[in-house]
């Protein structure tokens, strides 16, 4: 997610890395970790966003612009071309 999320377009939360409880053996790797979000921080963000229409508009517009740039057909084509050449990202 952090490929397209940042402080300007998203409500990023503090977290603690915790061990995944894999009761169903859904993961192939052992000792995997999960980012456990700070619920109090999430509540604070939800209240802030509910109370501030301008903040919601600004973050939403920034997110739309950022994602459009990342997922644009031109950028996708450059990425595919780079992969076909065997290089890293453009």
């Amino acid at each position: 997610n952090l490929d397209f999320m940042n402080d300007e377009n998203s409500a990023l939360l503090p977290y603690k890395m915790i061990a995944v409880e894999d009761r169903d053996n859904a993961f192939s790797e052992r000792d995997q970790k999960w980012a456990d979000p700070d619920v109090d921080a999430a509540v604070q963000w939800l209240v802030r966003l509910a109370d501030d229409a301008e903040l919601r508009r600004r973050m939403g517009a920034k997110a739309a612009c950022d994602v459009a740039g990342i997922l644009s057909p031109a950028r996708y084509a450059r990425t595919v071309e780079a992969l076909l050449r065997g290089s890293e990202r453009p």
Side-chain angles (χ1 to χ4, degrees), residues 35-53:
D36 187 36
D38 181 327
V39 175
D40 291 331
V43 169
Q44 290 172 4
W45 261 112
L46 288 171
V47 169
R48 184 175 173 197
L49 289 166
D51 290 344
D52 191 340

Side-chain angles (χ1 to χ4, degrees), residues 1-13 15 34-35 37 63 66-67 70-71 89:
N1 292 0
L2 294 177
D3 286 341
F4 56 86
M5 295 172 71
N6 59 56
D7 288 331
E8 294 179 1
N9 67 22
S10 301
L12 301 178
L13 300 175
Y15 61 90
W34 179 262
D66 291 350
V67 169
I70 292 168
L71 300 177
R89 290 183 178 190

Side-chain angles (χ1 to χ4, degrees), residues 51-68:
D51 290 344
D52 191 340
E54 175 56 24
L55 177 61
R56 292 192 311 269
R57 186 208 61 75
R58 189 171 61 246
M59 286 179 76
K62 181 69 172 134
C65 181
D66 291 350
V67 169

